[in-house]
């Protein structure tokens, strides 16, 4: 289907650009991952850029959805008035859309490249939101936005290095500055400038020249600029002809030494052991102090954001110190710590042979650290889902790749992740992995499926057995209502204890133990042989003790097993097989 060109840079153009960028990065992700040698050759730049843009897209779509609820938006195929922009009453304003785009990228930024991209988008948004309620901008406004994006991204990096995405972004802005005409002309100039700069990156950064590749982050930026051209012209530019000597994740390129970061001097042996990323609520003065402290602790320091919300990225040997620095500055959350292991980009000297793929693996989404440990002990590759932070499809694909197997059984363990997991499974299949998705709706169903998993039997037989075990497990949870609401069991008030059976509210009460006992009785009234209880970190042990005693006294043939789930959201998860 041909893309309808956008005449102005307005909210609809922002939506179109974000969607086109996401699709383009999805196609280019593997290629970009393969040439990722700087700042570390960990083979994830394309994936990190994709996940960052995916978060931006979700935020923009949420803004449009809110306006559609309030009265609808104009269809993308409608004719546009050539003399004036559309009325903002038809949908979100330009400021709404670019603000959502920048915020989504900020909270979803992954890795060094994703964090810099978030600041590029924020820089654009800062210029475009200054226009107030203006419905659109034209060529001159787009030029200013691209220039401020490049400048603000460079300022966010502690020690900028040429031959990186920063160079490519600056070249795009330089070329756009010289363009006359509408948004389409500015976008074309920016793309051509970025493409030329990308091809030149190996001559600016020796680590790229030795590996025979261009900068991966820069390649991702060119991909985004190409999507901008398509937004305004309806046609994507042709593919970029650049050197692509494939570099496997965890392996150095030909003659490559380990580089110490987008914001560090090139060269050196070894490197920091951890990548630390977190969101931070803090004042500007505190962030300035944080930058100085983290700069002394490690390298690849990028701090982006503003207005009280920041995204912090750094490579360090002491991950605890990096997090503590964030605590001193404000409130860090969504903390991600990745260890650069022995087989990663920091390895120097003799190369290790590529790791052989396992025949089969189980990949599971789990809601708490305790469950993650349980699943890992049982041999599964886990993806931790924090309460209120469901993983994106790209994160599930990454987990499948981490499993490094020819066959993968995917357990989403959440009914709301069904479509996300299906999309991830489809993507993994295009990469040659045989994936079976078992639609588990709760972590207790996943436990039941994992209990009967046998890697030695035929794949189809294993999937059937696991699916049958999950389907035979009824699931429930006990949680606390956050607000007044209508439920299938009546009206609940904020603070009420809710008992959900198979996803529906069945019990409303005031006492956790009482509600849990009622839920368990209702579930066992239909029979059962094994009760699985998973306690959240806020649930007292007395709840499990009472339920175990009740089962022993009233259901003599039923066994009970209790696990600690950690920060899983619900006070209690219950499974009955």
């Amino acid at each position: 289907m041909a893309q309808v060109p956008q005449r102005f840079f307005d909210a609809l153009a922002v939506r179109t650009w974000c969607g086109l960028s996401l699709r383009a990065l999805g196609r280019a992700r593997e290629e970009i991952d393969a040439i990722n040698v700087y700042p570390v050759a960990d083979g994830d730049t394309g994936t990190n850029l994709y996940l960052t843009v995916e978060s931006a897209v979700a935020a923009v779509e949420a803004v449009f959805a809110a306006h559609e609820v309030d009265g609808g938006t104009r269809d993308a195929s409608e004719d546009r008035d050539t003399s004036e922009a559309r009325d903002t009453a038809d949908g979100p304003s330009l400021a709404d859309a670019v603000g959502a785009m920048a915020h989504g990228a900020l909270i979803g930024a992954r890795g060094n490249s994703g964090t810099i991209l978030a600041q590029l988008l924020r820089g654009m948004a800062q210029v475009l939101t200054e226009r107030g309620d203006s419905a659109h901008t034209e060529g001159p406004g787009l030029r200013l936005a691209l220039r401020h994006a490049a400048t603000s991204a460079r300022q966010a990096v502690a020690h900028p290095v040429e031959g990186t995405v920063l160079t490519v972004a600056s070249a795009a802005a330089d070329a756009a500055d010289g363009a006359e005409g509408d948004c389409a002309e500015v976008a074309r100039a920016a793309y051509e400038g970025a493409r030329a700069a990308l091809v030149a990156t190996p001559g600016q950064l020796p680590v790229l020249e030795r590996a025979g590749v261009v900068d991966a982050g820069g390649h991702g930026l060119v991909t985004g600029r190409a999507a901008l051209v398509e937004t305004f012209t309806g046609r994507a530019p042709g593919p970029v002809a650049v050197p692509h000597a494939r570099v496997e994740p965890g392996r150095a390129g030909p003659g490559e030494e380990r580089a110490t970061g987008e914001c560090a001097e090139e060269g050196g042996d070894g490197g920091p052991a951890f990548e630390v990323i977190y969101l931070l609520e803090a004042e500007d003065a505190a962030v300035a102090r944080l930058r100085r402290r983290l700069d002394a602790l490690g390298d690849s320091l990028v701090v982006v954001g503003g207005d009280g919300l920041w995204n912090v990225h750094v490579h360090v040997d002491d991950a605890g110190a990096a997090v503590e620095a964030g605590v001193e500055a404000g409130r860090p959350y969504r903390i991600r710590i990745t260890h650069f292991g022995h087989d990663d980009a920091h390895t120097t000297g003799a190369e290790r042979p590529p790791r052989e793929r396992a025949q089969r693996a189980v990949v599971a989404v789990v809601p708490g650290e305790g469950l993650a440990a349980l699943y890992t002990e049982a041999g599964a590759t886990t993806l931790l889902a924090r309460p209120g932070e469901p993983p994106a499809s790209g994160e599930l694909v990454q987990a499948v790749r981490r499993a490094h197997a020819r066959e993968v059984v995917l357990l989403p363990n959440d009914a709301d992740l069904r479509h996300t997991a299906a999309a991830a499974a489809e993507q993994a299949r295009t990469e040659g992995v045989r994936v079976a998705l078992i639609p588990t709706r709760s972590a207790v169903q996943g436990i039941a499926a994992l209990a009967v998993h046998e890697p030695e039997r035929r794949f189809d037989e294993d999937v059937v057995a696991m699916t049958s075990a999950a389907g035979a497990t009824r699931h429930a949870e006990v949680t606390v209502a956050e607000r007044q609401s209508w439920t299938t069991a009546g009206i609940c008030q904020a603070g009420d204890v809710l008992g959900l059976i198979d996803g529906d509210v069945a019990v409303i009460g005031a006492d956790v133990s009482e509600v849990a006992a009622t839920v368990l009785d209702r579930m066992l009234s239909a029979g059962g042989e094994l009760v699985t209880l998973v306690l959240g970190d806020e649930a007292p042990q007395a709840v499990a003790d009472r339920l175990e005693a009740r089962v022993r006294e009233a259901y003599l043939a039923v066994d009970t097993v209790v696990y600690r789930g950690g920060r899983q959201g619900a006070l209690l998860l219950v499974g009955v097989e």
Side-chain angles (χ1 to χ4, degrees), residues 35-39 161-165 167-168 197-218 243-245 247 253-257 259 262 266:
I35 63 170
N36 174 201
V37 301
Y38 189 85
V161 171
E162 299 306 325
T164 66
V165 63
T167 305
V168 177
L198 175 65
V199 175
T201 54
Q204 297 173 293
L205 200 56
V207 67
L208 301 178
E209 186 174 31
R210 288 195 297 270
V213 299
V214 296
D215 180 66
H244 288 101
V247 179
E256 176 203 349
E257 295 176 7
E262 190 82 56
E266 186 268 329

Side-chain angles (χ1 to χ4, degrees), residues 117-158:
L117 174 60
Q119 188 64 15
L120 285 165
L121 296 179
R122 177 177 171 81
M124 291 186 70
Q126 285 175 320
V127 170
L128 297 172
T129 53
E130 287 176 356
R131 304 179 70 86
D133 293 331
S134 175
H136 77 291
T137 192
E138 300 187 35
L142 181 57
R143 287 200 301 270
L144 287 174
L146 292 172
R147 168 56 60 197
H148 189 63
T151 301
S152 62
R154 189 171 286 269
Q155 292 171 344
V157 175

Side-chain angles (χ1 to χ4, degrees), residues 443-459:
V444 291
Q445 288 188 321
I447 291 172
L450 198 55
V452 300
H453 169 55
E454 292 185 14
E456 294 78 18
R457 62 184 164 198
R458 291 178 59 248
F459 184 65

Side-chain angles (χ1 to χ4, degrees), residues 378-391:
T381 297
T382 60
L383 176 60
L384 188 62
R386 300 289 188 189
E389 300 176 21

Side-chain angles (χ1 to χ4, degrees), residues 258 271-278 293-301 313-323 337-340 346:
R258 187 262 170 192
F274 298 96
E275 177 185 59
V276 178
I277 305 174
Y278 50 80
R293 179 165 179 192
L294 292 179
D295 194 21
L297 284 175
D299 60 40
S300 290
L301 174 61
H313 170 281
V314 67
H315 293 175
V316 293
D317 280 320
D318 190 344
V323 175
I337 299 174
T338 302
H339 179 248
F340 295 126
H346 294 290

Side-chain angles (χ1 to χ4, degrees), residues 108 289 328:
R289 292 192 296 272
E328 292 178 6

Side-chain angles (χ1 to χ4, degrees), residues 231-542:
T231 298
F232 295 116
T233 67
R235 298 182 61 182
V240 184
V242 293
H244 288 101
R246 184 177 181 88
V247 179
E248 297 293 339
R251 294 170 64 83
E256 176 203 349
E257 295 176 7
R258 187 262 170 192
T260 60
E262 190 82 56
C263 47
E265 297 299 324
E266 186 268 329
D269 295 327
F274 298 96
E275 177 185 59
V276 178
I277 305 174
Y278 50 80
L279 291 178
L280 177 70
E281 293 178 355
E283 299 299 324
D284 290 3
V287 171
R289 292 192 296 272
L290 175 66
R291 288 180 192 268
R292 293 191 292 271
R293 179 165 179 192
L294 292 179
D295 194 21
L297 284 175
D299 60 40
S300 290
L301 174 61
V302 186
V303 181
V304 304
D307 301 321
L309 180 62
W310 308 81
N311 191 306
V312 179
H313 170 281
V314 67
H315 293 175
V316 293
D317 280 320
D318 190 344
V323 175
E324 287 171 7
V327 172
E328 292 178 6
R331 187 178 79 87
Y333 61 104
R334 292 197 188 183
I335 300 168
R336 294 186 179 90
I337 299 174
T338 302
H339 179 248
F340 295 126
H342 296 297
D343 294 326
D344 75 354
H346 294 290
T347 301
T348 57
E351 295 181 357
R352 296 170 182 252
R355 181 163 59 99
E356 182 66 25
R357 282 185 178 273
Q359 181 59 35
R360 189 175 308 159
V362 176
V363 173
V365 180
V366 291
E369 298 89 342
L371 281 171
L374 175 67
Y375 273 73
T376 301
E377 185 178 347
T381 297
T382 60
L383 176 60
L384 188 62
R386 300 289 188 189
E389 300 176 21
S393 62
E395 293 176 277
L396 282 169
V397 173
Q398 276 191 304
V400 171
R401 294 190 191 116
R402 278 194 289 117
H404 203 61
R406 299 181 182 89
E407 301 169 339
V408 169
V409 180
L410 184 57
L411 306 175
N413 292 338
D414 187 337
D416 292 337
L417 288 180
R418 181 183 60 179
H419 297 300
T420 302
E426 190 60 34
Q427 173 64 38
R429 292 182 188 114
T430 66
E431 299 177 9
V433 181
R434 188 181 184 188
V435 182
L437 171 61
I438 298 178
T440 47
R441 298 164 61 88
S442 170
V444 291
Q445 288 188 321
I447 291 172
L450 198 55
V452 300
H453 169 55
E454 292 185 14
E456 294 78 18
R457 62 184 164 198
R458 291 178 59 248
F459 184 65
D460 291 338
E461 293 176 353
D462 198 27
V463 171
V464 168
M466 295 176 71
T467 302
S468 178
T473 303
R474 299 187 68 197
H475 64 94
E477 67 178 79
V478 177
T479 188
V480 176
E482 296 181 357
R483 63 185 67 87
Q484 184 186 60
S485 179
W486 288 88
T487 76
T488 52
I491 300 175
C492 70
Q493 305 295 327
D496 282 349
V497 180
L498 308 179
L500 290 80
I501 299 177
D502 294 332
D504 295 322
V505 177
V507 183
I508 301 174
D511 181 78
V512 174
S513 294
E514 290 293 337
V515 170
T518 302
V519 166
L520 186 58
D521 283 340
R522 291 192 185 183
M523 295 180 74
L524 287 173
S525 66
E529 299 175 354
L530 175 66
V531 171
T532 300
L533 304 175
V534 183
L535 287 177
D537 59 353
E538 295 182 359
Q541 181 63 39

